Amino acid sequence: LGAGRPQPVNARLANLAEVQGIPQGQLAAERSTLTAVVRVLSPPLYAGLFAFGASRGCVALPFYLSAGLLVLSAAAALSVPSDEWGQQRKPQGEPSVGSPPDAPAGGLAPAPPRGKAA
């Protein structure tokens, strides 16, 4: 899985953000902020857990925390109704997010047919 592991989650998050009307730039900024906070806070947290566990004979305490968080995320995913996992689309009369005001309802206008000019 490696580096491709978060791609389905990111795609689903982008779909849900579009349905909610959240611009992609705002979503990217919020994800970047959350990632930065986690990268700053997690090393001291795991180091503290390791030190606490090592003093009590359980050096695997950070791994237990990770396993617990994984179980919580799986429980959260399982709590989503199955009909919510499908692709949600906007109703036809509604313009897409980021469409120019004069664009037809439903997004951008279709390209003109290719062929000989009359």
Side-chain angles (χ1 to χ4, degrees):
L1 294 172
R5 183 183 39 177
Q7 289 177 350
V9 175
N10 292 339
R12 181 65 179 148
L13 185 61
N15 289 343
L16 291 174
E18 182 180 355
V19 169
Q20 296 291 322
I22 299 171
Q24 287 185 1
Q26 179 181 350
L27 177 65
E30 290 174 357
R31 286 187 58 234
S32 178
T33 301
L34 179 62
T35 302
V37 168
V38 168
R39 286 184 180 178
V40 167
L41 296 180
S42 60
L45 171 68
Y46 279 83
L49 281 173
F50 178 78
F52 180 78
S55 69
R56 288 174 174 59
C58 181
V59 293
L61 194 57
F63 297 104
Y64 293 146
L65 174 67
S66 294
L69 291 174
L70 182 62
V71 168
L72 285 176
S73 67
L78 290 174
S79 71
V80 177
S82 60
D83 60 331
E84 291 290 323
W85 284 100
Q87 176 99 14
Q88 296 177 357
R89 298 189 185 270
K90 289 187 170 218
Q92 267 301 16
E94 211 172 306
S96 297
V97 175
S99 295
D102 58 346
L108 301 174
R114 293 183 183 207
K116 295 180 181 178

